[in-house]
Amino acid sequence: MPNVYMYVIVAVVVAAIASSLTAFIYNRNNKAMFNQINSMLDKAINNTFAESSYDETMLSQMETKLNRFLIASTTGERDISREKDRIKMLISDISHQTKTPIANILLYVQLLQEQEQTGSPTADLSSQIAQQSEKLNFLIQALIKTSRMEAGIIYVNPQPNRIKDLIQCTVAQVEEQAQLKHISLNIECEEELTAIFDPKWTEEALFNIVDNSIKYTPEQGMITISTTAYELFIRMDITDTGIGMEEHEINLIFKRFYRSPQVSQVEGVGIGLYLTREIITMQKGYIKVSSAVQKGSTFSIFLPREPSPSKSFNTDRFTKEA
């Protein structure tokens, strides 16, 4: 029994201390201070904060420090914005200044080829100049797109769009290339299947994968683009009967300028898949790859699916400045 009384006494003492602390914390003066701090934070969030007291109190010191922090943050944001504008102008200048000389070189080569006899030494040289100029133009444009993405000055505008339209537009660009190698292109997609994506940029991402599949698939091969609908995503599989790759290379192929030693003799600069992953990631999608040497590869693109009306879903969160 004495132990019981002791526990009761301890409980009463603890309760009294807790009550006193609560009264101390929430007394009128402290409530006023907490309300003022809360008001300061609200004004800081709404960008209307200004110092209101200039004395030696702790609250005044907090106001001064918060004001300095907000000024530094605003200055940093302005510096970042100005730097982004300068990068944007530089990239635009590079794009503009290189486009005309390369176009002129290709035009002069074409004029020379029209005047030269087929099989002559100069005709072969003209052909080489044309090929290298095309390659240089492709590389410059790819680097410009990459720079724009990394500088955050490329915008994607994901909206609900038909997957089959995306696939058909991509296939139309590579049909001639596939026919030259007698590669069959198969599409397996429902007519009304939709996902949330930017048609222009996603078409470029898909083109890079299909273009690679054609490059690395031997003659008489086959490429199939199929789709699968899940609750949250639409999956596009680009499956080829190409040369495939080693498992350790799967994590390397999306790096800039990476090229497998086994395809070094094939035209390319190793930047297409890097751009593809960046474009898909910007739209809240992702890519998976499975491959086996001499058996082919499957690139799986997952794009966010258009939500059903019964589910709360905000498509604005898929719009992002890259």
Side-chain angles (χ1 to χ4, degrees):
M1 291 299 292
N3 289 336
V4 174
Y5 290 128
M6 184 179 67
Y7 290 142
V8 171
I9 292 171
V10 170
V12 170
V13 171
V14 170
I17 293 173
S19 179
S20 299
L21 287 173
T22 302
F24 174 79
I25 292 172
Y26 289 101
N27 65 34
R28 184 176 299 176
N29 292 334
N30 285 334
K31 276 189 177 180
M33 184 178 69
F34 292 148
N35 288 336
Q36 195 164 351
I37 292 173
N38 190 51
S39 176
M40 287 165 51
L41 294 175
D42 286 339
K43 290 177 180 178
I45 292 171
N46 296 325
N47 200 28
T48 58
F49 177 80
E51 289 187 76
S52 60
S53 59
Y54 302 91
D55 50 40
E56 297 299 322
T57 63
M58 184 176 294
L59 190 61
S60 177
Q61 294 175 21
M62 290 177 61
E63 279 194 341
T64 300
K65 290 180 180 180
L66 180 58
N67 191 48
R68 289 177 180 173
F69 171 77
L70 293 174
I71 291 172
S73 298
T74 302
T75 302
E77 288 178 1
R78 288 173 182 168
D79 290 343
I80 291 172
S81 179
R82 283 196 293 266
E83 185 65 23
K84 185 182 290 187
D85 288 340
R86 284 195 290 266
I87 293 173
K88 184 177 182 179
M89 291 178 62
L90 176 61
I91 294 172
S92 296
D93 286 344
I94 293 173
S95 177
H96 177 72
Q97 296 297 333
T98 57
K99 189 179 296 183
T100 301
I102 292 176
N104 287 339
I105 291 171
L106 291 171
L107 175 62
Y108 299 149
V109 169
Q110 185 178 356
L111 292 174
L112 285 173
Q113 289 175 332
E114 291 175 355
Q115 297 176 10
E116 293 166 348
Q117 296 181 355
T118 303
S120 67
T122 52
D124 292 338
L125 290 174
S126 296
S127 178
Q128 289 294 325
I129 293 172
Q131 290 179 14
Q132 294 303 314
S133 298
E134 291 283 5
K135 184 176 181 180
L136 178 62
N137 185 45
F138 172 81
L139 178 59
I140 289 174
Q141 294 307 313
L143 289 173
I144 288 171
K145 290 175 185 176
T146 302
S147 300
R148 282 176 173 161
M149 281 188 175
E150 294 181 345
I153 52 179
I154 277 184
Y155 297 84
V156 294
N157 183 29
Q159 297 290 335
N161 289 286
R162 290 207 322 161
I163 292 289
K164 192 161 188 179
D165 292 341
L166 168 69
I167 296 174
Q168 287 176 333
C169 289
T170 304
V171 168
Q173 297 181 61
V174 298
E175 273 184 320
E176 184 177 350
Q177 183 185 351
Q179 289 173 1
L180 291 174
K181 295 182 70 176
H182 305 288
I183 293 173
S184 61
L185 292 169
N186 303 316
I187 300 176
E188 299 173 2
C189 179
E190 296 178 16
E191 288 289 337
E192 300 305 321
L193 197 61
T194 61
I196 300 175
F197 60 91
D198 183 305
K200 173 188 172 183
W201 287 107
T202 310
E203 183 179 322
E204 176 158 344
L206 182 58
F207 170 83
N208 290 336
I209 294 177
V210 178
D211 181 60
N212 274 2
S213 293
I214 294 173
K215 281 182 183 177
Y216 306 132
T217 296
E219 292 195 4
Q220 308 295 331
M222 181 172 64
I223 297 171
T224 301
I225 305 175
S226 59
T227 57
T228 305
Y230 299 106
E231 184 177 359
L232 298 178
F233 289 91
I234 297 297
R235 171 178 171 173
M236 271 191 300
D237 288 332
I238 302 92
T239 303
D240 62 52
T241 57
I243 60 176
M245 68 189 85
E246 299 281 354
E247 185 176 353
H248 75 274
E249 286 188 297
I250 291 176
N251 293 324
L252 300 174
I253 58 175
F254 293 105
K255 292 184 177 180
R256 278 188 300 176
F257 305 117
Y258 175 80
R259 302 205 71 212
S260 173
Q262 63 177 327
V263 298
S264 58
Q265 75 283 359
V266 182
E267 286 284 332
V269 293
I271 205 168
L273 291 180
Y274 169 80
L275 286 171
T276 292
R277 186 176 64 175
E278 293 298 305
I279 291 168
I280 299 302
T281 302
M282 285 165 61
Q283 301 179 90
K284 304 300 182 183
Y286 61 97
I287 301 178
K288 287 186 175 182
V289 182
S290 61
S291 186
V293 176
Q294 301 305 324
K295 292 184 179 180
S297 303
T298 296
F299 284 75
S300 300
I301 298 176
F302 292 80
L303 293 171
R305 189 174 186 183
E306 184 178 6
S308 61
S310 62
K311 293 186 178 180
S312 175
F313 196 80
N314 181 12
T315 55
D316 289 343
R317 68 191 182 93
F318 289 111
T319 303
K320 177 182 178 184
E321 180 182 352

